Amino acid sequence: MSDHEALRKAIAWIVEHNAIDEQLVRAASQRFDLSALDEAFLQQYFVELQHSEPQASSNNMDNKPESNQSD
């Protein structure tokens, strides 16, 4: 199996799971025999970016102007 094919299969396997965390990414890396670089990419993409997105979206909601106009 080519390196790219292994990475594609690992990504498909990861997204089948409801909760994605560091342990799941490590398991995928071992299961599909990924390189350390591929595992680091998956950790960053699935774990680190997921943790930063909810904070960013909640910050956007905090900055919305409220429309409390009374007639």
Side-chain angles (χ1 to χ4, degrees), residues 7-24:
L7 184 58
R8 279 192 287 269
K9 287 184 177 192
I11 291 169
W13 185 79
I14 289 170
V15 298
E16 289 177 354
H17 294 80
N18 292 334
I20 299 173
D21 59 12
E22 288 182 46
Q23 290 178 335
L24 182 67

Side-chain angles (χ1 to χ4, degrees), residues 17-35:
H17 294 80
N18 292 334
I20 299 173
D21 59 12
E22 288 182 46
Q23 290 178 335
L24 182 67
V25 173
R26 271 189 244 128
S29 179
Q30 291 174 348
R31 181 181 187 125
F32 295 97
D33 194 29
L34 300 180
S35 70

